[in-house]
C-alpha cells in the first residue's frame, strides 16, 4: 500500500509538487486529518489553525502552478516549537505565568521556514520555560509519547518529538540547551541534529542553546539544514555563512571505513545506564566495527561537580526570573520548577562563580576527551522514557538533571550531536544513540548517522492513533 501523504518525506513531497502529481493542499488536508485522529491523545500542538494552514497551502499550490516555488520546502508542512517566536503569535514558553503578547517578528528559524515556503502547521508544546525533559506544562495539556501514551515524549522539545513520531508531516523544529532535541528524539525514536553552536541562528541566543531539525529520517534533516543554516545578525553567536554540501549527506556505509570512533558508555555523573540501553548502544558500536570503523572505549570525562554547577547556575537564573514575577503569577508556574528555582535563594556570589565556572570546565573536558576520535558514540539518555506525568526521571527538584550527563557536555563544547534510533526496550520503547562530531562537522555527523541508518536493524512500524472505542446506547 502506498504511503499516505502525511507519511511522505520532504524531498518526496517537493518532487511530487514539481511533477504536479500532488498538491500542497492535498498534503495539508492529509496532515490535518491525521492530526485530528492523534492530537487528543498526545497533545503535541499549540495554535493549530486549520483554516490558516489551508490558506498557506493554497498560496503554495499557486506558486507551484506558476513554476515559481519560494524555496526548498515550498508547501511542506512544518511545526515550530512554542519558544521560537512566530510573528503575530504569543510565545508562552510553556508557562501559565507568561504574558500572551503577540511576537513582533519571526525568530530566525521561523523566518527561514517562511522564506522557503514552508507551511506552518502549528507550534509545538513544551514544559515551563523549557526547564524539564518532559511534556509537563502549566500552560499546555500534558504531552504524551505516541509509542506508549503512558510515557513522556521527553523535552523540552516535547511536542516536536511527539509530532514527528506521530507523523504530523516530515519537518519539525526544536531547541536544545542540555539535551532538549536529543532526549525527545531518543525517546520518540526519531532523528535529530543538535548543530554546532551558531549553525542555526536563534533569537534570543544563549550559551549552549541551539535550534535544529527533528525528523523521521536523516534525509529530511539534511534538507531542512539547507533551510535553517546561515548567519543572522540577531544571533551574536551565529556562524559566518558557509557553503555546506548538505546534499552530500548520503555517501553510503563506506563513510564509516577507517573512522576512529570513541564509545562512551558511562557519563561520569548522574543516573546509571539501563541494561537494555547499554546493550542496544553496544550492538550499534559492533555494527560500526563491522562496517570498518575502529571503535575504542572512552573514559568518562564529566563529573558530578560539573553537572551540579550547571544545575545551580540555571536554578539561580530561574530564581531571579521568578522572583521578578508578581506572587499570583509565580504561583501559576509548575510547583516543581518553583521548588527547583527557590532552592537557589541562599547561594552567594562565590558559590555562583564556582557554579558558572563548571560550564568552562565541561567544555574543556569534552573537547579534550573527543580529540583522539573522529566521532563519539554514546547513549542519549541512561534511562528509557518515564511516566508522562513526571517532570523528570527522579521526580526530585533537587536532583533534576541526573539524566543529561551524556547530552549536556556537547552543548557547552559547541559540538554537533545527533540522536538516532538504535533499538527498543523490552516494553517496545525506542532507544537513542548519540553521534557526536568535532565542532563545525555538522555534515559529517549527518553522513555517519545516514550510514548507521543503512546498517541498523529494521525499524518497527511507526505508531498509529489508538482505535476509538465505539459506544452503543441502547
Amino acid at each position: 500500500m502506498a504511503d499516505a501523504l502525511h507519511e511522505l518525506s520532504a524531498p518526496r513531497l517537493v518532487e511530487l509538487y514539481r511533477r504536479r502529481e500532488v498538491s500542497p493542499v492535498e498534503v495539508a488536508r492529509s496532515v490535518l486529518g491525521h492530526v485530528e485522529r492523534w492530537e487528543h491523545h498526545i497533545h503535541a500542538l499549540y495554535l493549530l489553525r486549520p483554516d490558516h494552514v489551508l490558506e498557506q497551502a493554497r498560496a503554495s499550490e499557486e506558486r507551484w502552478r506558476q513554476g515559481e516555488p519560494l524555496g526548498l520546502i515550498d508547501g511542506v508542512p512544518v511545526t515550530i516549537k512554542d519558544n521560537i517566536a512566530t510573528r503575530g503569535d504569543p510565545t508562552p514558553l510553556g508557562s501559565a505565568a507568561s504574558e500572551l503578547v503577540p511576537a513582533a517578528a519571526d525568530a530566525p528559524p521561523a523566518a527561514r521556514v517562511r522564506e522557503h515556503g514552508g507551511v506552518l502547521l502549528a507550534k509545538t508544546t513544551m514544559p515551563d520555560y523549557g526547564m524539564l525533559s518532559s511534556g509537563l506544562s502549566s500552560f499546555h495539556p500534558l504531552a504524551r509519547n505516541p509509542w506508549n501514551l503512558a510515557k513522556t515524549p521527553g523535552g523540552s522539545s516535547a511536542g516536536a518529538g511527539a509530532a514527528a513520531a506521530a507523523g504530523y508531516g516530515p519537518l519539525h523544529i526544536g531547541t536544545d540547551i542540555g539535551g532538549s532535541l536529543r532526549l525527545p528524539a531518543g525517546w520518540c525514536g526519531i532523528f535529530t541534529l543538535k548543530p554546532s553552536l551558531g549553525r542555526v541562528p536563534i533569537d534570543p541566543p544563549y550559551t549552549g542553546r541551539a535550534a535544529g531539525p527533528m525528523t523521521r529520517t536523516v534525509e529530511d534533516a539534511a534538507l531542512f539544514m539547507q533551510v535553517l543554516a546561515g548567519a543572522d545578525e540577531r544571533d551574536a553567536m551565529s556562524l559566518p555563512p558557509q557553503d555546506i554540501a548538505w546534499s552530500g549527506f548520503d555517501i553510503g556505509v563506506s563513510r564509516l571505513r577507517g573512522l576512529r570512533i570513541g564509545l562512551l558508555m558511562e557519563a561520569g555523573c548522574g543516573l546509571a545506564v539501563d541494561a537494555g540501553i547499554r546493550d542496544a548502544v553496544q550492538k550499534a558500536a559492533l555494527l560500526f566495527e563491522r562496517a570498518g570503523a575502529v571503535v575504542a572505549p572512552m573514559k568518562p570525562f564529566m563529573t558530578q561537580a560539573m553537572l551540579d554547577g550547571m544545575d545551580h547556575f540555571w536554578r539561580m537564573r530561574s530564581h531571579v526570573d521568578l522572583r521578578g514575577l508578581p506572587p499570583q503569577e509565580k504561583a501559576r508556574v509548575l510547583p516543581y520548577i518553583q521548588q527547583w528555582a527557590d532552592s537557589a535563594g541562599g547561594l552567594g556570589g562565590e558559590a555562583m562563580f564556582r557554579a558558572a565556572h563548571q560550564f568552562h570546565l565541561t567544555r574543556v573536558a569534552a573537547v579534550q576527551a573527543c580529540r583522539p576520535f573522529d566521532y563519539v558514540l554514546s547513549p542519549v539518555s541512561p534511562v528509557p522514557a518515564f511516566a508522562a506525568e513526571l517532570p523528570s526521571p527522579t521526580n526530585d527538584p533537587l536532583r533534576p538533571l541526573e539524566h543529561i550527563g551524556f547530552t549536556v557536555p556537547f552543548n557547552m563544547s559547541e559540538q554537533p550531536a545527533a540522536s538516532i534510533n538504535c533499538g527498543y526496550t523490552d516494553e517496545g520503547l525506542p532507544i537513542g544513540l548519540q553521534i557526536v562530531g568535532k565542532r563545525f562537522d555538522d555534515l559529517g555527523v549527518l553522513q555517519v548517522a545516514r550510514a548507521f541508518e543503512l546498517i541498523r536493524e529494521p525499524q518497527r512500524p511507526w505508531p498509529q492513533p489508538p482505535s476509538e472505542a465505539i459506544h452503543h446506547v441502547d
Side-chain angles (χ1 to χ4, degrees):
M1 188 176 78
D3 289 335
L5 294 179
H6 62 265
E7 298 276 354
L8 297 181
S9 71
R12 179 65 175 148
L13 288 176
V14 170
E15 178 186 357
L16 292 173
Y17 296 159
R18 185 174 292 114
R19 294 178 179 178
R20 299 190 184 179
E21 295 180 14
V22 167
S23 157
V25 175
E26 294 176 283
V27 173
R29 286 178 174 149
S30 177
V31 173
L32 288 169
H34 191 62
V35 167
E36 186 175 357
R37 293 186 290 273
W38 251 130
E39 181 58 14
H40 61 287
H41 296 290
I42 62 173
H43 302 128
L45 301 185
Y46 167 58
L47 293 181
L48 174 63
R49 296 164 292 196
D51 289 346
H52 181 52
V53 174
L54 291 171
E55 179 184 340
Q56 297 173 76
R58 291 187 190 100
S60 174
E61 180 181 61
E62 179 63 19
R63 291 192 295 269
W64 281 107
R65 190 187 66 79
Q66 296 179 4
E68 298 177 349
L70 275 180
L72 295 173
I73 57 169
D74 202 329
V76 178
V78 179
T79 73
I80 300 176
K81 188 176 177 181
D82 162 352
N83 64 344
I84 297 174
T86 48
R87 184 182 63 254
D89 298 325
T91 310
L93 307 177
S95 176
S98 296
E99 188 177 359
L100 299 181
V101 178
D106 288 327
R112 302 296 90 80
V113 166
R114 292 198 208 270
E115 290 164 6
H116 281 264
V119 172
L120 177 55
L121 175 68
K123 306 294 286 291
T124 50
T125 57
M126 62 180 283
D128 290 53
Y129 308 115
M131 293 312 300
L132 299 177
S133 296
S134 80
L136 183 62
S137 165
S138 63
F139 181 83
H140 300 296
L142 177 64
R144 295 181 180 273
N145 193 319
W147 290 90
N148 183 332
L149 297 178
K151 303 297 184 181
T152 183
S156 63
S157 302
Y168 288 14
L171 303 179
H172 311 269
I173 307 175
T175 63
D176 188 317
I177 200 171
S180 289
L181 283 164
R182 289 155 290 162
L183 290 164
W187 289 329
C188 290
I190 64 168
F191 178 77
T192 193
L193 173 69
K194 180 204 74 67
S196 299
L197 185 72
R199 179 72 70 207
V200 174
I202 196 165
D203 182 31
Y206 197 85
T207 301
R209 185 176 185 231
M214 302 182 77
T215 62
R216 286 183 168 186
T217 67
V218 178
E219 179 186 34
D220 276 326
L223 173 64
F224 212 8
M225 284 300 293
Q226 296 180 60
V227 172
L228 298 175
D232 190 300
E233 63 183 9
R234 290 175 289 174
D235 185 345
M237 293 182 278
S238 69
L239 298 176
Q242 184 179 358
D243 186 13
I244 297 174
W246 299 108
S247 60
F249 79 97
D250 186 0
I251 57 178
V253 179
S254 63
R255 179 67 172 84
L256 303 182
R257 193 172 301 126
L259 289 181
R260 300 166 298 164
I261 303 287
L263 179 59
L264 181 66
M265 292 304 305
E266 301 293 340
C269 58
L271 298 172
V273 178
D274 174 87
I277 291 174
R278 178 180 297 278
D279 289 346
V281 172
Q282 288 176 334
K283 287 178 182 177
L286 182 60
L287 294 177
F288 275 79
E289 285 188 322
R290 290 175 178 169
V294 179
V295 180
M298 287 177 64
K299 294 180 179 179
F301 59 86
M302 281 284 287
T303 67
Q304 193 66 39
M306 292 175 184
L307 186 63
D308 290 345
M310 290 185 279
D311 174 22
H312 292 160
F313 182 88
W314 285 329
R315 290 187 202 207
M316 181 58 79
R317 182 187 71 175
S318 294
H319 175 66
V320 171
D321 288 344
L322 296 189
R323 193 173 58 189
L325 295 175
Q328 66 274 19
E329 293 299 315
K330 180 182 176 181
R332 302 179 73 185
V333 176
L334 281 177
Y336 184 97
I337 296 289
Q338 293 184 50
Q339 294 171 40
W340 174 72
D342 288 347
S343 69
L347 295 176
E350 180 178 345
M352 288 316 304
F353 168 78
R354 294 185 183 280
H357 188 52
Q358 298 303 317
F359 288 89
H360 174 70
L361 295 179
T362 300
R363 177 192 184 102
V364 171
V367 171
Q368 177 67 21
C370 294
R371 184 169 290 131
F373 305 104
D374 299 307
Y375 299 93
V376 168
L377 305 179
S378 81
V380 169
S381 166
V383 295
F386 49 95
E389 293 80 7
L390 296 182
S392 71
T394 62
N395 195 26
D396 182 351
L398 299 184
R399 295 176 58 239
L401 305 183
E402 300 294 293
H403 57 292
I404 70 170
F406 288 109
T407 52
V408 70
F410 304 112
N411 293 81
M412 301 314 135
S413 64
E414 305 182 14
Q415 294 170 248
S419 174
I420 187 167
N421 190 58
C422 69
Y424 304 87
T425 68
D426 291 341
E427 287 186 88
L429 296 171
I431 296 171
L433 172 71
Q434 183 171 232
I435 302 173
V436 183
K438 295 186 185 296
R439 192 179 177 204
F440 309 132
D441 188 22
D442 303 73
L443 178 58
V445 171
L446 287 179
Q447 290 171 337
V448 171
R450 172 56 179 161
F452 179 70
E453 196 175 42
L454 292 170
I455 62 176
R456 67 183 175 179
E457 294 181 354
Q459 299 296 284
R460 299 182 184 181
W462 292 103
Q464 296 300 318
S467 298
E468 299 294 342
I470 300 176
H471 300 283
H472 298 281
V473 178
D474 295 328

